[in-house]
Amino acid sequence: MSLLKIARMGHPVLRRTADPVADPTDPAVAQLIADMVETMLDASGVGLAAPQVHVSRRIIVFQVPAARRHHDEPVGPDGVMALINPVVEPLGDRVESGIEGCLSIPELRGVVPRWAAIRYSGIGADGAPVTCEAHGFHARVVQHEVDHLDGVLYLDRMLDLRLLAFESELQYLVDEAATLAALDAAEGTSP
Ligand code: NI
């Protein structure tokens, strides 16, 4: 296993549409996933997409900590998942605002609207098909990572760049996000 270099915003690999993985059982894919998981954990991230390590292929890894998991969400015991050729569809039309960061955009956090609930599918690291319904944090991290496969960064999804801040000023965003969440709840849905 080895740590991989993370591409930062501005590198063109982050803006490309990644190619599907033709053979999910290729040992090179398993090696890449192992290295991506190690790189994500080393960088204290909760998700990483292959384009972020300069590989323009449709592979993501992510982590759903136990405390942020719904009881019926089938993730591994350590909360780490890998998905090859993932596909996301919204469940319902409810949108939630929440705070995101990105290993390719160090030190910043922003408030981003995402589908509150999704169904996703793909191929797991063991080569078996995966289908899962996810809510809240789990749904958010998958949407963020799958966006990377289409060259989309969370900044592109933001509706108000005043809700972008340095991590050291996070309390400002927490307060603003709480206000937005209250508005989301009051209005039901917002694009
Ligand atoms: Ni990211």
Side-chain angles (χ1 to χ4, degrees), residues 47 52 101-104 144-145 148 153-154:
Q52 290 183 276
C102 181
L103 292 176
S104 295
H144 176 118
E145 298 313 325
H148 275 300
L153 302 176
Y154 79 80

Side-chain angles (χ1 to χ4, degrees), residues 79-100:
V80 174
M81 294 261 301
L83 273 183
I84 302 162
N85 299 335
V87 175
V88 167
E89 59 174 316
L91 287 176
D93 56 4
R94 201 160 69 83
V95 171
E96 285 177 347
S97 297
I99 297 172
E100 297 185 18

